Amino acid sequence: MAEAAPSRVQLDEVDRRLIRELVKDGRISMLALAQRAHVSRTHVYARVERLERMGVIEGFTARINLEKAGFATSALIALSIQQDSWRGLSQKLKTLRYVERFVLVGGDFDVLVVVRTPDNAALRDVVLEQIHSLAGVRASRTWLMFEECDGMQSELF
């Protein structure tokens, strides 16, 4: 029996304002958040707690300047994989150093992987030695990332 799709949480305008501000600055104080959302601090605590409990807010993170942190080379790697290899491959990709994230996609390729390394030599090792040695990987294409723009996630709300 197939699992039911997770139910969507109904968000009102106050929820959306809170989320927009938290995406911009996850360290904002509850008082400042209340002022920006035009609600009481008690109301903000209750709303944020509810959004966390319902899984809308999954956590709070820091944005890191990756180049200053020693990850000067970034690349997007597209993988063609064998049809039945996704589950095993995804478990292996989770263990590889320098793999930031990956997604299963539809289209000309099957998996997109974001890799952040200190230099081109480390990138070469990750792609040609580590990723290509994984069971199920048939081919890859690599694009160096020269510049990135921060996501506009706050604009969704």
Side-chain angles (χ1 to χ4, degrees):
M1 178 184 232
E3 280 186 38
S7 61
R8 247 182 2 145
V9 175
Q10 293 297 320
L11 302 175
D12 64 15
E13 186 52 37
V14 172
D15 292 330
R16 286 183 178 84
R17 277 195 309 258
L18 294 174
I19 291 168
R20 270 194 304 269
E21 294 302 326
L22 287 168
V23 168
K24 289 178 191 173
D25 180 3
R27 293 185 63 179
I28 189 172
S29 72
M30 290 296 147
L31 177 59
L33 186 56
Q35 291 168 343
R36 290 184 190 175
H38 308 291
V39 295
S40 73
R41 189 169 59 166
T42 303
H43 196 70
V44 167
Y45 277 110
R47 289 284 186 129
V48 170
E49 184 178 295
R50 182 180 125 267
L51 291 168
E52 286 179 296
R53 190 174 56 254
M54 297 181 88
V56 174
I57 296 175
E58 294 182 327
F60 300 88
T61 62
R63 286 189 298 260
I64 308 299
N65 181 315
L66 293 166
E67 190 171 341
K68 289 181 180 180
F71 298 95
T73 302
S74 298
L76 182 63
I77 301 148
L79 303 177
S80 292
I81 65 172
Q82 293 173 356
Q83 190 170 18
D84 62 347
S85 64
W86 167 244
R87 283 188 175 80
L89 182 64
S90 68
Q91 290 304 312
K92 293 289 187 184
L93 285 170
K94 289 177 186 177
T95 68
L96 294 183
R97 184 163 189 209
Y98 304 127
V99 170
E100 179 182 279
R101 68 179 55 190
F102 54 91
V103 294
L104 180 66
V105 296
D108 294 338
F109 292 94
D110 304 304
V111 180
L112 296 177
V113 183
V114 176
V115 174
R116 315 269 188 190
T117 62
D119 52 40
N120 285 348
L123 176 63
R124 180 189 184 287
D125 180 67
V126 169
V127 175
L128 298 179
E129 303 299 329
Q130 297 178 45
I131 291 178
H132 274 266
S133 71
L134 297 175
V137 173
R138 295 185 354 205
S140 73
R141 181 170 293 164
T142 301
W143 294 273
L144 291 176
M145 296 165 44
F146 297 125
E147 188 173 332
E148 292 181 71
C149 295
D150 198 14
M152 300 298 290
Q153 190 176 32
S154 65
E155 299 303 316
L156 295 172
F157 298 94

